[in-house]
Amino acid sequence: MHASTVRSLLVRGMLAGLIAGLLAFAVAYVVGEPPVNGAIAVEEAQAAQEAHAAPAAHAGHGGTAAAEAAEEEEAVSRPVQSTFGLATGVLVYGVALGGIAALAFSFALGRVGRFSPRATAALTAAAAFTTVYLVPFLKYPATPPAVGNPDTIGKRTTLFFLMILLSVLLGLAAVIAGRRLAPRLGNWNATLAAAAGFIVVTGVAFALLPANDDAVKAGFPAALLWEFRVASLAVQAVLWAVFGVVFGFLAQKVLAGRTSAVDAQATVGAPIPG
């Protein structure tokens, strides 16, 4: 694929990621923010109970420190976090992943089967959603802010990104294995074999990697946790579904235009039959 075509696809991938991010932000605000607010309310209630239970001897300097901490936390208000902050994070995330997915699309087009650009974009989005989010989510599901042990947040973050890296590598290995098995087994059987291998090896990784036993505090409402995780899954599903549709449409136009230009140039430069 020509470098200029790849650049055009990259720009359109980032644009598609921006559009997908806008819709994902809407879902995150409508569906995701209520569980987050609920989690914050639970945290504040627990903090108030602990403050009332604390001995009076700790009131002096400790109370001043607590007030200073509260002031620092209010440097960015909750309304700003739930609107401008959330929108910025989701849009930057969508644009960045849209660009990466566009590059993956450029590599996959014509190499994973005789699919149209729209079908290849849909497959790329589905593979990205599965490897980048769904598989890590199944092992280390999302949790609302401030419900886990703060002392282990570094460990939990490392494990989550390790699971993402492992999932992406296993996904690439499955694609390579499927391509190599296709001449002997046929495309359908090779795809099934590669998918089965991906599931088995991922299951082994799930069993070997440590669990996040302290990701959720004891006594945290299970229903609220479930709502947050469903909302998190919905945001990612909307992001990648919209990206696949929008980028597939844009990529189809780019590649169709390039093909038409090449055909026209070949026709102009072709010798006139004598």
Side-chain angles (χ1 to χ4, degrees), residues 42-87:
V42 171
E43 179 194 10
E44 291 176 348
Q46 292 177 346
Q49 291 177 356
E50 292 174 358
H52 285 302
H58 293 277
H61 180 70
T64 304
E68 292 176 354
E71 290 178 358
E72 292 179 359
E73 292 177 359
E74 288 298 325
V76 179
S77 65
R78 177 63 190 148
V80 173
Q81 293 176 12
S82 62
T83 52
F84 180 76
L86 178 63

Side-chain angles (χ1 to χ4, degrees), residues 69-165:
E71 290 178 358
E72 292 179 359
E73 292 177 359
E74 288 298 325
V76 179
S77 65
R78 177 63 190 148
V80 173
Q81 293 176 12
S82 62
T83 52
F84 180 76
L86 178 63
T88 301
V90 174
L91 292 180
V92 170
Y93 179 81
V95 170
L97 288 187
I100 295 173
L103 295 178
F105 166 89
S106 301
F107 176 80
L109 185 64
R111 291 186 173 91
V112 295
R114 295 184 178 180
F115 298 106
S116 68
R118 287 187 177 181
T120 303
L123 290 174
T124 301
F129 169 72
T130 301
T131 57
V132 175
Y133 184 78
L134 183 59
V135 170
F137 175 86
L138 293 176
K139 176 60 179 177
Y140 301 118
T143 56
V147 300
N149 184 355
D151 296 333
T152 62
I153 188 171
K155 174 187 174 183
R156 289 186 278 120
T157 302
T158 300
L159 287 174
F160 181 74
F161 281 104
L162 176 62
M163 191 67 239
I164 292 177
L165 177 61

Side-chain angles (χ1 to χ4, degrees), residues 35-36 38-40 141-148 156 215-216 220 224-226 228-229:
V36 172
I40 293 174
T143 56
V147 300
R156 289 186 278 120
V216 181
F220 188 82
L224 187 59
L225 180 62
W226 173 256
F228 177 83
R229 288 176 174 174

Side-chain angles (χ1 to χ4, degrees), residues 6-20:
V6 175
R7 285 196 298 270
S8 297
L9 291 172
L10 175 62
V11 172
R12 283 157 179 79
M14 296 172 70
L15 175 61
L18 178 64
I19 296 172

Side-chain angles (χ1 to χ4, degrees), residues 161-264:
F161 281 104
L162 176 62
M163 191 67 239
I164 292 177
L165 177 61
L166 184 59
S167 176
V168 171
L169 292 177
L170 290 177
L172 292 174
V175 172
I176 294 172
R179 289 187 60 196
R180 292 185 177 180
L181 291 173
R184 287 182 294 171
L185 302 179
N187 290 332
W188 178 250
N189 291 332
T191 300
L192 292 179
F198 175 80
I199 293 172
V200 170
V201 178
T202 301
V204 173
F206 276 20
L208 294 178
L209 288 174
N212 281 342
D213 295 328
D214 55 354
V216 181
K217 294 179 181 178
F220 188 82
L224 187 59
L225 180 62
W226 173 256
E227 290 176 7
F228 177 83
R229 288 176 174 174
V230 171
S232 176
L233 188 61
V235 170
Q236 291 290 329
V238 168
L239 177 71
W240 286 110
V242 173
F243 171 81
V245 172
V246 174
F247 179 67
F249 172 76
L250 296 176
Q252 186 82 32
K253 291 187 64 176
V254 168
L255 295 173
R258 300 284 172 153
T259 302
S260 300
V262 171
D263 291 343

